[in-house]
Amino acid sequence: MQCDNSFFANINEKLFFNFKQTKLLPHERFISNHLDYHLYSNCCNCNAGQWKTFEKANQPGWACIVPFYNLYVMLKIGGKPGWWLLLFLIPVVNIVFIIWTYNMISKSFGKDEGFTLGLAFLGFIFWPILGFGDATYRGPFGEIQGRQNEF
């Protein structure tokens, strides 16, 4: 008895993509590699800045590379309660609360609202400024330790 594999071949052609390599032109390959390099370097730059910022705030620097834990540490630096982490999981609400957290972090280092916008929209520039610059951690909200805002 002969086995007919045409049935499986047809399923394979219809259900799965054809993963043949597409050939890129030299300028397309250059642009693709160049963009990959810049995205990777910006990511490393941002992580290095967050690492130093966390260490300035007496938190573990490695926390910046652990998902969700880095948000928890940011909340601690900004002086907000840990249950706010749940608010980061709600769509649209999370945008408001992460910018609010960035605002509390920038105030904790003596910066203003303009710096908050920089952290939110140009983080690969402003996190290293905060981490490697001369900003010092002043405690939550940039106030005296032990005093905390109500909410």
Side-chain angles (χ1 to χ4, degrees):
M1 185 170 179
Q2 186 177 3
C3 181
D4 185 18
N5 288 331
S6 62
F7 174 74
F8 295 108
N10 287 337
I11 289 177
N12 192 20
E13 286 178 10
K14 291 179 181 176
L15 294 180
F16 299 107
F17 294 110
N18 191 357
F19 289 112
K20 290 181 182 175
Q21 285 286 345
T22 58
K23 297 214 178 204
L24 296 175
L25 297 173
H27 71 280
E28 292 173 331
R29 193 175 321 116
F30 173 76
I31 291 171
S32 174
N33 290 342
H34 203 66
L35 286 175
D36 289 346
Y37 168 75
H38 281 291
L39 289 174
Y40 179 72
S41 63
N42 285 342
C43 182
C44 290
N45 196 19
C46 190
N47 279 344
Q50 278 188 340
W51 190 298
K52 291 299 287 182
T53 303
F54 283 16
E55 287 180 346
K56 278 185 178 182
N58 301 320
Q59 299 295 328
W62 55 264
C64 73
I65 59 175
V66 179
F68 295 106
Y69 184 61
N70 64 354
L71 295 173
Y72 177 73
V73 172
M74 281 191 222
L75 289 170
K76 283 175 57 176
I77 292 171
K80 293 297 180 185
W83 63 266
W84 270 32
L85 192 62
L86 296 174
L87 297 173
F88 293 149
L89 301 174
I90 303 171
V92 181
V93 173
N94 59 0
I95 296 169
V96 173
F97 279 91
I98 194 67
I99 292 175
W100 196 350
T101 303
Y102 284 165
N103 188 31
M104 291 295 106
I105 290 172
S106 63
K107 287 182 185 288
S108 297
F109 284 92
K111 304 293 184 179
D112 58 356
E113 286 78 14
F115 203 86
T116 300
L117 292 175
L119 285 175
F121 297 110
L122 295 170
F124 62 94
I125 295 171
F126 281 83
W127 279 109
I129 289 173
L130 195 59
F132 295 106
D134 59 353
T136 57
Y137 183 62
R138 300 179 179 185
F141 311 108
E143 299 174 354
I144 302 169
Q145 290 286 356
R147 193 171 155 211
Q148 194 171 20
N149 198 357
E150 301 297 322
F151 182 67

